[in-house]
Amino acid sequence: MKRVLRRVFESQIPNYGDYNLVLATPGLDGETGFYVLGYRWRPAEVVFAPFDVDTLAGLEAPTSVNTTNLSHTDELDAEAYEVGTSTGRVFQFAVEPQAVLPATASEGERLLEQAADWEDFRSFVASYLELA
Protein backbone atom coordinates (compact mmCIF):
# COMPACT_ATOMS: atom_id res chain seq x y z
CA MET A 1 0.00 0.00 0.00
CA LYS A 2 2.83 2.42 0.82
CA ARG A 3 4.41 1.77 -2.59
CA VAL A 4 1.12 2.48 -4.35
CA LEU A 5 0.61 5.76 -2.49
CA ARG A 6 4.22 6.77 -3.14
CA ARG A 7 3.63 6.17 -6.85
CA VAL A 8 0.54 8.44 -6.73
CA PHE A 9 2.66 11.20 -5.18
CA GLU A 10 5.78 10.69 -7.29
CA SER A 11 3.82 10.78 -10.55
CA GLN A 12 2.71 14.34 -9.75
CA ILE A 13 5.63 15.96 -7.89
CA PRO A 14 8.90 16.63 -9.75
CA ASN A 15 11.22 16.65 -6.70
CA TYR A 16 9.34 13.97 -4.76
CA GLY A 17 12.46 12.66 -3.03
CA ASP A 18 12.53 15.71 -0.75
CA TYR A 19 9.28 14.74 0.97
CA ASN A 20 8.21 12.37 3.72
CA LEU A 21 4.82 10.84 2.98
CA VAL A 22 1.80 9.98 5.11
CA LEU A 23 -1.75 9.01 4.30
CA ALA A 24 -4.18 11.75 5.31
CA THR A 25 -7.79 10.70 5.80
CA PRO A 26 -10.92 12.81 6.36
CA GLY A 27 -10.45 14.82 9.55
CA LEU A 28 -14.03 15.54 10.61
CA ASP A 29 -17.50 14.13 10.13
CA GLY A 30 -18.70 15.03 6.67
CA GLU A 31 -15.21 15.37 5.21
CA THR A 32 -14.45 13.01 2.33
CA GLY A 33 -10.97 13.82 1.02
CA PHE A 34 -8.09 11.36 1.08
CA TYR A 35 -4.59 12.68 0.36
CA VAL A 36 -1.10 11.45 -0.02
CA LEU A 37 0.41 14.17 2.08
CA GLY A 38 4.03 15.05 1.42
CA TYR A 39 5.86 17.21 3.92
CA ARG A 40 9.38 18.48 4.33
CA TRP A 41 11.10 20.34 7.10
CA ARG A 42 13.31 22.65 5.01
CA PRO A 43 11.91 24.66 3.48
CA ALA A 44 8.78 23.98 5.51
CA GLU A 45 6.10 22.78 3.13
CA VAL A 46 3.09 20.47 2.92
CA VAL A 47 1.81 19.10 -0.40
CA PHE A 48 -1.73 17.71 -0.64
CA ALA A 49 -2.10 15.15 -3.44
CA PRO A 50 -5.76 14.03 -3.51
CA PHE A 51 -6.50 10.56 -4.82
CA ASP A 52 -9.44 8.32 -5.56
CA VAL A 53 -9.70 5.59 -2.91
CA ASP A 54 -11.10 3.07 -5.41
CA THR A 55 -8.61 3.47 -8.25
CA LEU A 56 -5.72 4.92 -6.22
CA ALA A 57 -5.22 7.48 -8.99
CA GLY A 58 -4.63 11.19 -8.51
CA LEU A 59 -7.76 13.34 -8.69
CA GLU A 60 -6.36 16.80 -9.36
CA ALA A 61 -3.10 18.71 -9.34
CA PRO A 62 -1.46 18.66 -5.90
CA THR A 63 -1.59 21.80 -3.77
CA SER A 64 1.59 23.01 -2.13
CA VAL A 65 1.32 25.02 1.08
CA ASN A 66 4.44 26.81 2.32
CA THR A 67 5.40 30.06 4.03
CA THR A 68 4.43 32.11 0.96
CA ASN A 69 0.79 31.00 0.84
CA LEU A 70 0.00 29.61 4.32
CA SER A 71 -2.88 31.46 5.97
CA HIS A 72 -3.42 29.25 9.00
CA THR A 73 -2.78 25.89 10.61
CA ASP A 74 -4.93 24.54 13.43
CA GLU A 75 -5.01 21.34 15.42
CA LEU A 76 -8.70 20.38 15.44
CA ASP A 77 -8.39 17.22 17.51
CA ALA A 78 -5.69 14.85 18.74
CA GLU A 79 -4.89 13.69 15.18
CA ALA A 80 -6.94 16.09 13.04
CA TYR A 81 -5.73 19.32 11.46
CA GLU A 82 -6.74 22.19 9.26
CA VAL A 83 -4.38 23.96 6.86
CA GLY A 84 -5.51 26.98 4.87
CA THR A 85 -3.99 28.91 2.01
CA SER A 86 -4.01 32.63 1.30
CA THR A 87 -6.24 31.90 -1.72
CA GLY A 88 -8.96 30.47 0.53
CA ARG A 89 -8.37 26.75 0.00
CA VAL A 90 -8.81 24.83 3.27
CA PHE A 91 -7.79 21.23 3.95
CA GLN A 92 -9.17 19.34 6.93
CA PHE A 93 -7.58 15.96 7.48
CA ALA A 94 -6.37 13.40 9.99
CA VAL A 95 -3.08 11.53 10.15
CA GLU A 96 -3.23 8.43 12.32
CA PRO A 97 -0.73 5.72 13.22
CA GLN A 98 -2.96 3.21 11.46
CA ALA A 99 -4.82 4.74 8.53
CA VAL A 100 -7.77 2.99 6.95
CA LEU A 101 -8.92 3.23 3.36
CA PRO A 102 -12.56 2.23 2.78
CA ALA A 103 -13.45 -1.07 1.16
CA THR A 104 -13.84 -1.18 -2.60
CA ALA A 105 -15.89 -3.46 -4.81
CA SER A 106 -12.86 -5.73 -5.30
CA GLU A 107 -11.29 -5.73 -1.83
CA GLY A 108 -12.09 -5.09 1.79
CA GLU A 109 -10.93 -2.33 4.06
CA ARG A 110 -7.23 -1.54 3.62
CA LEU A 111 -5.03 -0.72 6.60
CA LEU A 112 -1.81 1.25 6.32
CA GLU A 113 0.59 1.00 9.25
CA GLN A 114 2.38 4.35 9.51
CA ALA A 115 3.21 4.72 13.20
CA ALA A 116 6.86 5.77 12.67
CA ASP A 117 5.84 8.26 9.97
CA TRP A 118 3.03 9.50 12.21
CA GLU A 119 5.51 10.31 15.00
CA ASP A 120 7.67 12.35 12.62
CA PHE A 121 4.62 14.09 11.17
CA ARG A 122 3.41 15.07 14.67
CA SER A 123 6.80 16.71 15.31
CA PHE A 124 6.61 18.48 11.96
CA VAL A 125 3.10 19.80 12.65
CA ALA A 126 4.17 21.16 16.03
CA SER A 127 6.69 23.39 14.24
CA TYR A 128 4.33 24.13 11.34
CA LEU A 129 1.67 25.41 13.74
CA GLU A 130 4.08 28.18 14.73
CA LEU A 131 4.53 29.40 11.14
CA ALA A 132 0.97 30.62 10.64
Side-chain angles (χ1 to χ4, degrees), residues 96-130:
E96 302 167 304
Q98 293 184 327
V100 177
L101 287 174
T104 66
S106 62
E107 58 185 294
E109 198 173 77
R110 296 156 288 173
L111 178 69
L112 178 64
E113 177 59 52
Q114 59 181 9
D117 299 318
W118 173 78
E119 288 287 339
D120 186 59
F121 182 76
R122 297 268 305 151
S123 296
F124 171 80
V125 168
S127 69
Y128 206 69
L129 284 166
E130 296 174 13

Side-chain angles (χ1 to χ4, degrees), residues 33-130:
F34 285 82
Y35 305 97
V36 178
L37 193 149
Y39 67 96
R40 64 180 174 184
W41 290 82
R42 297 219 186 344
E45 181 179 31
V46 177
V47 177
F48 293 90
F51 69 96
D52 181 280
V53 295
D54 293 328
T55 65
L56 300 177
L59 289 174
E60 64 183 62
T63 301
S64 174
V65 183
N66 54 44
T67 56
T68 63
N69 66 344
L70 175 66
S71 69
H72 70 277
T73 304
D74 292 316
E75 188 169 12
L76 303 174
D77 201 353
E79 296 167 345
Y81 308 95
E82 180 175 284
V83 173
T85 69
S86 56
T87 62
R89 185 95 190 253
V90 176
F91 298 92
Q92 292 183 335
F93 61 95
V95 175
E96 302 167 304
Q98 293 184 327
V100 177
L101 287 174
T104 66
S106 62
E107 58 185 294
E109 198 173 77
R110 296 156 288 173
L111 178 69
L112 178 64
E113 177 59 52
Q114 59 181 9
D117 299 318
W118 173 78
E119 288 287 339
D120 186 59
F121 182 76
R122 297 268 305 151
S123 296
F124 171 80
V125 168
S127 69
Y128 206 69
L129 284 166
E130 296 174 13

Side-chain angles (χ1 to χ4, degrees), residues 5-22:
L5 295 177
R6 179 160 289 284
R7 190 173 60 241
V8 169
F9 190 80
E10 290 176 359
S11 69
Q12 300 177 70
I13 305 298
N15 56 344
Y16 57 81
D18 292 347
Y19 297 90
N20 300 317
L21 301 181
V22 291

